[in-house]
Amino acid sequence: MATTVPDTAEVELAIGGMTCASCAARIEKKLNRMEGVTATVNYATEKAKVSYGAGVSVPELIATVEATGYTAREPEPARPEPAPGAEAAEEADELRPLRQRLVTAVVLAVPVIAMAMVPALQFTYWQWLSLTLAAPVVTYAAWPFHRAAVTNARHGAATMDTLISVGTAAAFAWSLWALFFGTAGTPGMTHPFELTIARSDGAGNIYLEAAAGVTAFILAGRYFEARSKRKAGAALKALLELGAKDVTVLRDGGEVQIPVAELAVGDRFLVRPGEKIATDGTVVEGSSAVDASMLTGESVPVEVGAGDAVTGATVNAGGRLVVEATRVGADTQLARMAKLVEDAQNGKAAAQRLADKISGVFVPVVIALALATLGFWIGNGAGLTAAFTAAVAVLIIACPCALGLATPTALMVGTGRGAQLGILIKGPEVLESTRRVDTIVLDKTGTVTTGRMTLLAVHTADGTDETEVLRLAGALEHASEHPIARAVADAAAAKLGPLPAPEDFANVPGLGVQGIVDGHAVLAGREQLLAEWAMALPADLARAKAEAETAGRTAIAVAWDGEARAVLEVADAVKDTSTEAITRLRALGLTPVLLTGDNRAVAESVAREVGIGAEHVIAEVMPEDKVDVVKRLQAEGRSVAMVGDGVNDAAALAQADLGLAMGTGTDAAIEAGDLTLVRGDLRAAADAIRLARKTLGTIKSNLFWAFAYNIAALPLAAAGLLNPMIAGAAMAFSSVFVVGNSLRLRGFKAAS
C-alpha cells in the first residue's frame, strides 16, 4: 500500500522590525517550533523562507512572527517593470525615516555635547537649553532602540538596543529629576572640571550629553549599515536583467518583435550575430559560435548547429540562427541560477554583531548591579536620594559613548582605505567571516585568467616567416566575428599595424575560414579544413598542435598556396599577477582551489602555471553545480571564501562564507559578493582579506576598550563616588581612544 506524503508549500515572507542578527535568530526559532514548519530568516535580505505542511496557513505564520514582536507580510504580486529611477526612489523612501532620525539627532546633540564639555559655553540657563535640545533626540530619534528593547524584554533577551535604551533613558530621567527637583536647574549651574572622587547626592548632576551623544553616534552606524544592507537583494535583479528584453519571432512567414515574457515553448525565434539568445532552446537552422563564458565559465566559444541546445542570455558570436524555444520563464537556466542565488543568500546566516553578543551578557549584569547598589544603600540607611543616585550612576556609566563609535568608525576608516586600494567592503557582518576562512575557491575564467582568448604562440614550418604568417592569417581572421579569430586578428594588428583586406572571404561552419590575401589562397582553422584541400601538417607542426591541445589550448592550422605553413596557439591567458596572488593567499593560511566549467586539461594547465596542485582542481562543473561544490567543502568543515566574476559564480559567491567579486565582472557577481575587488587583480583578494581581518581586529579592540573604561568606573558608581566630570572624562577619553585606534587603519598598505 503506497504511503501518502503530506503536501508541503513554500512562502517567502517580508520581515520588518529586525535590528540585529539575533532578531532573525529569534524569529527563526519561533517559526521552527510550529509543527510541520521549516524556516530560515535572513537579517540582510529581511526575508523568511518558510516550508510548511497542510495543517499550517500563511496567516498563522504571519501571526507567529507578529507575536514575536516583528511584522511580516506576504510577497507582493509581480508588478510591471518600474520606470527609470523608481527603484532608487523606493530605496530612498525605505531609508528616509532612519535618515530623518539621524539628522535630528546630530543637529541637536552637537550643541548639547559642546555645552556640557566646554565650561565657557555654560551661560546662565544653558542646562534648560540642553534639555530642550536633548528631549527630541532621546524620544523621537532613539525610538527604534526603545521599541527594540521592549521587544527583547518581552522575550527575555538583551542586545545592544537594550543597553542603549536603558542607558539613555536612565541618563535622561535622572537629568529631569535633577533639573526639576534637585539643584541642577538653579540659574548659573555649571559642570566644573573637578576630577575629585567624592560622594554626591546627584541632585546637581545632569547627563543629557551622554543620552544625546550615544543616540546620535549609534544612529549614524545603523544608517550606514542599512544602506549597505539594502543592496543584498540587488544580485537577483542584476542576474535577471542579463536576459534579452525583446525577441524576433518567426510567425506566418514573417518576423514579429515581441517582449521575451510573451515567448512560448515551441515558438521559433531569430538570433542575429551579436544578439543575446532570448531563452533556452534548440537550433533548427543555421550554425554559429556561441559565447557562453558569462553563463558557463567556458572560455572557448561553443560551435552550434541544427539540433544543438543553446542557453538563454548567451551571445551569438557568429552566424544567423533560428532557435525553437524549449524552456521559458522560471524554467530557464538563467532563472534557475537566480533561484540558486536567492536560496544561497537565504541560507547564509549573518554573523551576529559582536556588540550584541557582549551586550547579551553585559546588560543583565549591569541591571543586576544597579538593583544590588540600590538595595545596598537603602539597607545601609543612606536614604532614597543617595541610593537612587548610585544606582542610576551605574546605569549611566554602563552606556558607553565609545560603543556607538567602535564599529562605525573602524568600518568607515577601513572601508575608506579599502576603496582607495580598490576593495569595497559591504558591511560589518562580512568582516566577521574573514577570520575563519581557511579555503579559497577561485573561478578560472576572468579571475585567474584574463577571460578573453589570446594568441600565445606561433609555430612555423621550415622556411616560413612568423611575420608573414601573422600578416596573412591575421588579415583573413579579421573578417570573422568568431572570438578565436578575433584573438589572432588583434595580435597581428597589434604587432604589424593595419592589415590587408581579404578577397573572396568565406566562413566554413565548424572548420574555419578561407579567402585570398595579397594574391595568396589562405586557409585558417581546424586540421580537417586543410585535409579537405589535400594538405597535411608537417611532423613538427603536428607535434606542436598535439602539445598545444594536451595543454588545453586551441590550435589553428594555417596554410596558403597549397602548403601547411604554421600552427597558432590560442587560449584564455593567465593574468600576469595570478601566480603572485596565489603565493600571497597561501601566506595568509588559505588553501587555493581552482574551480571551472572548462575541461580538465585546460584547468590543470592553468593550475600548474599559477602553482595550484592537481588535487585542488575541480573542472567540468556545470554553473548550477558550483554552489554544490562550495557546500561540499563547507560540509567537510572548511570555511570557504570564493572569488569569481561571472553570472555562473553568483550563487557560489552568495553561498560561500566570504564572497569576493571581481569588479571587472558582471553586476550579478558583484552584487552577490561580500567584497568587491575593483581592479580585477587577484592580488587584491589577498589585500582584501588582510584589510578585512585588520579592520575586524580594530573593531574588537575598540569594543574591548569601550567596555573596559566603563567597567573600571562601575565600582565608583556603585560606591556613590561618581563625579559627573569623571564620568564625562571617562566617556570622552574612551571615545577619543576608539577614534584614534580606528584611524590607524589609514596606514594599511597593499602588499607591494
Side-chain angles (χ1 to χ4, degrees):
M1 185 176 169
T3 306
T4 305
V5 180
D7 292 332
T8 59
E10 279 194 0
V11 68
E12 191 173 73
L13 301 176
I15 306 294
M18 293 191 292
T19 59
C20 61
S22 58
C23 297
R26 195 173 304 130
I27 297 167
E28 193 171 295
K29 191 174 177 183
K30 285 279 187 182
L31 286 171
N32 284 324
R33 280 182 181 164
M34 296 175 72
E35 193 165 342
V37 172
T38 306
T40 56
V41 181
N42 190 317
Y43 169 58
T45 57
E46 296 182 329
K47 288 180 180 177
K49 187 176 179 182
V50 189
S51 297
Y52 57 96
V56 180
S57 66
V58 172
E60 286 176 318
L61 297 172
I62 292 173
T64 300
V65 174
E66 289 174 345
T68 313
Y70 305 90
T71 64
R73 68 175 193 273
E74 289 187 71
E76 294 177 9
R79 295 175 297 179
E81 196 164 309
E87 292 193 11
E90 185 180 329
E91 180 177 317
D93 284 343
E94 289 183 22
L95 290 173
R96 185 178 293 132
L98 185 54
R99 185 170 59 249
Q100 287 173 340
R101 293 181 198 277
L102 171 61
V103 171
T104 302
V106 171
V107 169
L108 299 180
V110 168
V112 173
I113 295 168
M115 284 188 287
M117 296 298 175
V118 182
L121 298 177
Q122 294 174 4
F123 57 90
T124 305
Y125 292 102
W126 72 275
Q127 68 271 44
W128 294 103
L129 178 61
S130 287
L131 175 63
T132 305
L133 295 174
V137 178
V138 178
T139 53
Y140 165 71
W143 177 246
F145 305 130
H146 302 318
R147 186 178 56 211
V150 171
T151 301
N152 291 331
R154 287 216 321 260
H155 297 92
T159 66
M160 185 173 161
D161 290 321
T162 310
L163 185 58
I164 297 161
S165 179
V166 169
T168 54
F172 187 72
W174 187 260
S175 300
L176 282 176
W177 184 89
L179 284 167
F180 285 100
F181 303 105
T183 59
T186 307
M189 187 278 285
T190 60
H191 274 176
F193 275 101
E194 291 178 2
L195 299 180
T196 54
I197 296 176
R199 185 164 288 121
S200 158
D201 66 0
N205 302 340
I206 61 172
Y207 300 93
L208 295 170
E209 79 285 355
V214 167
T215 301
F217 284 137
I218 296 179
L219 275 173
R222 291 285 171 90
Y223 176 71
F224 291 116
E225 185 181 339
R227 277 183 63 184
S228 65
K229 188 159 71 75
R230 282 276 147 243
K231 302 212 175 277
L236 302 179
K237 179 172 161 286
L239 195 55
L240 294 171
E241 281 182 352
L242 288 169
K245 301 291 183 290
D246 298 302
V247 58
T248 304
V249 181
L250 302 179
R251 285 182 181 163
D252 302 324
E255 298 178 4
V256 183
Q257 188 100 350
I258 63 169
V260 167
E262 295 177 13
L263 201 60
V265 172
D267 280 346
R268 294 192 174 193
F269 58 92
L270 180 64
V271 189
R272 297 182 178 89
E275 289 185 344
K276 287 181 181 176
I277 294 171
T279 192
D280 298 357
T282 305
V283 177
V284 292
E285 186 183 313
S287 62
S288 179
V290 173
D291 181 0
S293 58
M294 179 183 69
L295 207 58
T296 66
E298 294 176 15
S299 52
V300 180
V302 181
E303 301 285 349
V304 297
D308 291 330
V310 288
T311 306
T314 55
V315 179
N316 177 15
R320 176 184 184 274
L321 295 175
V322 175
V323 179
E324 183 175 310
T326 55
R327 285 196 294 251
V328 296
D331 295 329
T332 64
Q333 187 170 342
L334 183 66
R336 291 205 306 272
M337 288 177 71
K339 185 79 166 60
L340 283 174
V341 172
E342 188 174 21
D343 290 347
Q345 284 187 333
N346 280 333
K348 187 176 180 181
Q352 187 181 354
R353 276 198 205 92
L354 284 171
D356 281 327
K357 291 177 181 176
I358 298 168
S359 299
V361 176
F362 187 68
V363 175
V365 168
V366 167
I367 291 173
L369 181 60
L371 291 172
T373 301
L374 179 67
F376 175 79
W377 287 113
I378 291 173
N380 278 341
L384 276 177
T385 302
F388 272 107
T389 299
V392 172
V394 168
L395 292 177
I396 291 168
I397 198 64
C399 186
C401 221
L403 186 65
L405 289 168
T407 298
T409 53
L411 193 64
M412 220 171 286
V413 178
T415 53
R417 183 62 186 138
Q420 291 174 342
L421 299 172
I423 302 160
L424 304 182
I425 302 171
K426 282 197 177 171
E429 285 86 3
V430 170
L431 302 175
E432 296 190 38
S433 305
T434 60
R435 75 180 190 275
R436 298 187 302 271
V437 169
D438 54 30
T439 302
I440 186 159
V441 176
L442 306 169
D443 170 57
K444 180 186 75 67
T445 308
T447 302
V448 177
T449 65
T450 61
R452 62 181 182 275
M453 304 304 285
T454 307
L455 179 64
L456 300 180
V458 179
H459 305 278
T460 58
D462 292 338
T464 302
D465 179 49
E466 182 177 320
T467 302
E468 183 72 355
V469 172
L470 283 176
R471 193 173 70 85
L472 296 177
L476 188 64
E477 297 282 33
H478 192 69
S480 172
E481 291 298 320
H482 197 291
I484 291 176
R486 301 304 314 163
V488 176
D490 291 347
K495 186 172 182 179
L496 306 175
L499 301 168
E503 300 171 24
D504 296 334
F505 173 84
N507 180 37
V508 184
L511 293 179
V513 290
Q514 61 189 44
I516 297 172
V517 182
D518 285 352
H520 299 284
V522 184
L523 300 173
R526 298 181 187 272
E527 192 177 357
Q528 295 96 300
L529 179 63
L530 273 63
E532 288 188 2
W533 290 83
M535 284 180 263
L537 291 175
D540 54 342
L541 291 184
R543 188 165 54 252
K545 173 181 175 291
E547 288 172 359
E549 290 174 345
T550 300
R553 296 173 177 175
T554 299
I556 303 167
V558 180
W560 65 82
D561 297 344
E563 190 176 334
R565 310 276 183 159
V567 166
L568 311 179
E569 286 188 39
V570 174
D572 182 7
V574 171
K575 291 180 181 176
D576 296 337
T577 56
S578 291
T579 304
E580 184 187 345
I582 300 298
T583 304
R584 290 187 189 178
L585 291 168
R586 286 191 196 280
L588 290 171
L590 305 174
T591 302
V593 174
L594 189 69
L595 177 66
T596 180
D598 260 352
N599 66 62
R600 179 155 287 276
V602 173
E604 290 187 352
S605 171
V606 170
R608 274 194 304 275
E609 196 169 336
V610 298
I612 297 176
E615 71 278 11
H616 292 134
V617 174
I618 305 173
E620 299 173 15
V621 178
M622 294 297 291
E624 57 268 31
D625 295 335
K626 285 192 174 185
V627 68
D628 293 330
V629 170
V630 173
K631 285 179 180 175
R632 190 173 73 238
L633 292 169
Q634 289 170 329
E636 292 171 6
R638 304 195 203 190
S639 184
V640 180
M642 166 87 187
V643 188
D645 76 321
V647 176
N648 58 309
D649 304 317
L653 286 168
Q655 174 64 38
D657 299 289
L658 180 68
L660 297 95
M662 303 298 268
T664 49
T666 61
D667 288 346
I670 291 168
E671 296 296 352
D674 302 310
L675 298 169
T676 300
L677 313 177
V678 176
R679 301 198 307 267
D681 180 344
L682 190 56
R683 289 179 301 184
D687 290 333
I689 290 172
R690 279 178 51 239
L691 174 61
R693 285 179 176 176
K694 194 169 180 63
T695 305
L696 178 65
T698 302
I699 289 173
K700 283 182 166 181
S701 61
N702 282 352
L703 288 170
F704 171 78
W705 287 109
F707 279 103
Y709 282 114
N710 298 87
I711 289 171
L714 278 175
L716 293 175
L721 300 172
L722 191 64
N723 178 293
M725 212 55 243
I726 292 178
M731 285 189 180
F733 185 62
S734 62
S735 297
V736 168
F737 177 88
V738 160
V739 173
N741 192 37
S742 297
L743 288 174
R744 292 189 309 125
L745 287 167
R746 289 168 65 181
F748 177 87
K749 288 182 172 61
S752 54

